[in-house]
Amino acid sequence: MSLVAVRDAITQAHHEEWCRVVASLTRRFGDLDIAEEAAAEAFATAVQRWPADGVPPNPGAWLTTTANRKAIDSIRRENKRDDKQKEAQLVYDDDPPEPLGAIDDERLRLIFTCCHPALAMESRVALTLRMVGGLTVAEIARAFLVQESTVGQRITRAKAKIKAARIPYRVPSAEDLPARVSGVLAVLYLVFNEGYLATGPDTDPVRHDLTAEAIRLTRLIRALMPEDGEVAGLLALMLLTEARRTARVSASGELVALDKQDRGVWDGALIAEGHRLVRQRLAASVAPGRYQILAAINAVHTSARDGRDTDWSQVLALYDQLVRLDPSPIIALNRAIAVAELDGPEVALAAVDRLENKLAGYHAYHATRADLLRRLGRSQEARAAYDKAIELAGNTAETAYLNRRREQLE
Amino acid sequence: MQYLVSVINDRSNSGTPDEMAAINEFNDRLQTQGHWVFAGGLAAPSSATVIDNRGEEVIFTDGPFVESKEYLVGFWIMEAPDLDVALKLAAEGSKACNRKVEVRPFL
């Protein structure tokens, strides 16, 4: 087997098996630290040995066995050093498994523990990417433009809290499940959005590594909870957004508005998969949650061959439905963009202006206002709004787009 | 596993009769379900005295060790198998006493 083939096999095993290995070790030893360390050691051993010994017939089983052995070795070492450690390493989840049947997978326990609502959001993100996604601390730090030591601290602190406060390692009970699933999805959506609209002056406008990781983890959760409508909705939303990625930033590094994008370069396979998920959810005839509605809105956009063919009344109807679920000002702002297409920029501007005291610090509020004012020929006010938007925007491609728009004002 | 559930007060009026009734009912439930360890309400922070006997002689200081708009007004100590159960109980406690609460595990 060639070295390239071995390297590919290791990468594939890392994608497919990391989470499973960490999850099964956490279950067995009741300790995230031991599980993480032993899993990392097992993969390091694979990197050393597979090129010479060949890829084992069942890489997952090999990795689990090796990691188990590493964990036991490390516990023995610790125990020799300090007997008190034993107590901390006892498995505390002795509960009989919750009667949840199909969705009781060890990986789900791990995901729910990492996304526990008692942890700070940034800790949940770091912990999930490390323990579930298998990203290294250095990779997470690079992705979020923070120091490695900061990410390390977030993960260490989160693991310490899980242990000290006894955050349980299990799938939540059926009655808590919807709220807890939505907590998990919020973590994944945050990772996706940070990739899709990366912030920071020196960063690429789109961080494909983060969007891809978010999609991969959402696919995993979808495989584990195939019946959950919001999981399907979030996956569809991500796919339909990711499908437009290459058309979204121009060769000169400028953000391209939806109506100006070259629809020919949209990813047809991702769109087809996203549409299929949206249709499945529509057929389920269960009241949709916010991710399903957002996915449906994106399905309408990606169904139009040309921006001018967009079914805006359908978009607006979906936003109306969304506003009833989530009366946040950001949803109201996006709804106003659909209103502009149907009722004209003047009506939309009135709706946007009503959001001022809630959104004055949000760049998209000023960018939307600027665009509506431009369309109304109110150049001076538009210029002031572009200035404000540019000042607040963190994404390099968006700043470039806003700058050009401002310069084109009459 | 035991958890301290601190009740945080940020207003001047003490417990109303309705709140007291809800708290009593919640306490009964904690007892019948086996979560009860101990609970109590505290007098105003102005009644506190700080004692420092680390030096040569004991020093008494009038008032709480830290002045703040939010202060501890009472607490529960609850027995719970894990944080999820403790959080659920604490949420019921917050509703019953109509105040914010903080959950902290004992070592």
Side-chain angles (χ1 to χ4, degrees):
Chain A
M1 194 180 244
S2 75
L3 281 180
V4 176
V6 173
R7 206 182 53 206
D8 287 351
I10 291 171
T11 308
Q12 195 190 346
H14 194 260
H15 268 169
E16 286 169 6
E17 305 295 343
W18 168 272
C19 177
R20 215 190 297 266
V21 173
V22 172
S24 85
L25 263 67
T26 307
R27 176 89 167 114
R28 174 156 179 204
F29 299 101
D31 188 297
L32 286 169
D33 272 326
I34 290 175
E36 179 195 348
E37 218 166 284
E41 278 184 51
F43 278 93
T45 310
V47 171
Q48 271 172 16
R49 300 240 314 255
W50 291 8
D53 300 359
V55 177
N58 185 343
W62 187 97
L63 287 161
T64 307
T65 310
T66 308
N68 263 303
R69 215 173 288 142
K70 301 275 179 200
I72 290 165
D73 286 350
S74 102
I75 291 168
R76 287 213 182 106
R77 277 199 305 275
E78 288 289 331
N79 283 352
K80 257 183 222 153
R81 203 182 314 155
D82 187 353
D83 260 353
K84 272 188 224 154
Q85 288 283 337
K86 256 184 212 158
E87 208 180 340
Q89 283 151 3
L90 286 177
V91 177
Y92 56 73
D93 182 24
D94 297 329
D95 298 349
E98 304 273 327
L100 286 164
I103 68 161
D104 190 21
D105 181 291
E106 280 171 356
R107 288 173 294 177
L108 270 183
R109 294 169 179 255
L110 184 63
I111 290 162
F112 280 111
T113 302
C114 292
C115 295
H116 197 275
L119 301 172
M121 192 60 177
E122 54 197 19
S123 304
R124 286 184 231 171
V125 169
L127 199 60
T128 303
L129 290 176
R130 175 74 192 119
M131 306 303 284
V132 183
L135 271 64
T136 63
V137 168
E139 284 168 331
I140 300 167
R142 245 193 333 272
F144 286 92
L145 304 168
V146 291
Q147 299 282 327
E148 271 183 47
S149 56
T150 310
V151 174
Q153 256 169 26
R154 282 175 193 167
I155 293 176
T156 309
R157 218 178 292 146
K159 285 193 291 198
K161 178 164 183 182
I162 289 170
K163 204 184 273 189
R166 210 185 258 213
I167 288 178
Y169 191 62
R170 68 160 169 256
V171 174
S173 64
E175 73 175 308
D176 295 337
L177 204 56
R180 292 290 304 278
V181 169
S182 101
V184 171
L185 299 184
V187 169
L188 297 175
Y189 196 35
L190 190 149
V191 172
F192 183 85
N193 277 330
E194 183 50 35
Y196 201 68
L197 204 69
T199 48
D202 303 316
T203 167
D204 287 340
V206 179
R207 306 291 315 273
H208 175 56
D209 48 348
L210 280 182
T211 55
E213 187 60 24
I215 288 175
R216 195 173 72 80
L217 293 179
T218 309
R219 280 190 195 282
L220 168 65
I221 293 169
R222 163 121 178 103
L224 296 171
M225 306 179 73
E227 301 303 318
D228 191 287
E230 280 294 85
V231 175
L234 179 62
L235 180 58
L237 172 61
M238 287 179 177
L239 294 173
L240 294 173
T241 313
E242 177 77 357
R244 309 195 298 259
R245 180 165 57 85
T246 42
R248 202 164 146 274
V249 179
S250 71
S252 59
E254 197 180 283
L255 196 77
V256 183
L258 188 56
D259 58 324
K260 299 282 190 302
Q261 288 178 12
D262 175 4
R263 296 182 179 222
V265 301
W266 285 359
D267 187 326
L270 292 182
I271 290 177
E273 191 186 353
H275 285 186
R276 205 157 50 236
L277 285 166
V278 170
R279 276 196 303 273
Q280 271 173 23
R281 291 317 307 160
L282 287 173
S285 68
V286 181
R290 61 186 294 261
Y291 292 119
Q292 289 166 80
I293 298 174
L294 284 168
I297 291 169
N298 278 273
V300 175
H301 284 302
T302 45
S303 296
R305 290 237 169 87
D306 188 293
R308 281 167 302 196
D309 301 336
T310 306
D311 185 350
W312 286 104
S313 58
Q314 183 70 33
V315 173
L316 186 61
L318 287 163
Y319 270 117
D320 286 338
Q321 203 178 347
L322 189 54
V323 166
R324 282 195 292 274
L325 265 185
D326 178 0
S328 86
I330 291 176
I331 303 285
L333 179 70
N334 290 324
R335 182 185 175 277
I337 295 170
V339 168
E341 298 302 323
L342 286 167
D343 301 329
E346 196 153 11
V347 181
L349 184 62
V352 170
D353 281 342
R354 281 197 292 274
L355 304 168
E356 190 191 353
N357 52 17
K358 284 178 190 133
L359 294 181
Y362 182 48
H363 69 92
Y365 163 77
H366 297 284
T368 307
R369 266 196 92 232
D371 189 56
L372 295 170
L373 288 163
R374 178 188 61 79
R375 284 156 74 175
L376 289 165
R378 291 158 64 176
S379 299
Q380 220 167 347
E381 291 163 89
R383 188 167 290 116
Y386 277 122
D387 283 341
K388 195 79 196 156
I390 291 161
E391 185 191 318
L392 293 167
N395 182 272
T396 48
E398 192 162 21
T399 314
Y401 165 77
L402 292 168
N403 268 314
R404 185 174 58 79
R405 271 294 157 104
R406 184 186 55 179
E407 276 155 32
Q408 283 172 346
L409 285 174
E410 303 190 347
Chain B
M1 180 94 182
Q2 291 187 346
Y3 293 88
L4 173 68
V5 179
S6 307
V7 179
I8 302 151
N9 197 39
D10 54 6
R11 50 193 163 92
S12 51
N13 58 330
S14 53
T16 65
D18 278 355
E19 285 164 9
M20 291 316 295
I23 292 169
N24 284 334
E25 197 183 307
F26 176 61
N27 286 343
D28 288 347
R29 209 160 57 238
L30 286 178
Q31 277 163 357
T32 52
Q33 290 172 356
H35 297 297
W36 172 271
V37 180
F38 190 73
L42 297 172
S46 57
S47 63
T49 309
V50 174
I51 298 98
D52 188 349
N53 196 17
R54 291 171 300 179
E56 297 276 295
E57 57 181 322
V58 58
I59 300 163
F60 299 103
T61 315
D62 176 35
F65 73 98
V66 56
E67 292 272 6
S68 77
K69 259 170 68 180
E70 296 186 320
Y71 54 88
L72 191 69
V73 75
F75 62 91
W76 281 280
I77 298 172
M78 297 178 184
E79 181 69 47
D82 60 50
L83 188 68
D84 279 359
V85 178
L87 292 179
K88 194 165 279 186
L89 293 170
E92 288 174 32
S94 168
K95 181 77 88 190
C97 70
N98 195 24
R99 283 171 178 83
K100 279 198 296 193
V101 303
E102 178 200 274
V103 175
R104 245 166 105 173
F106 278 86
L107 278 175

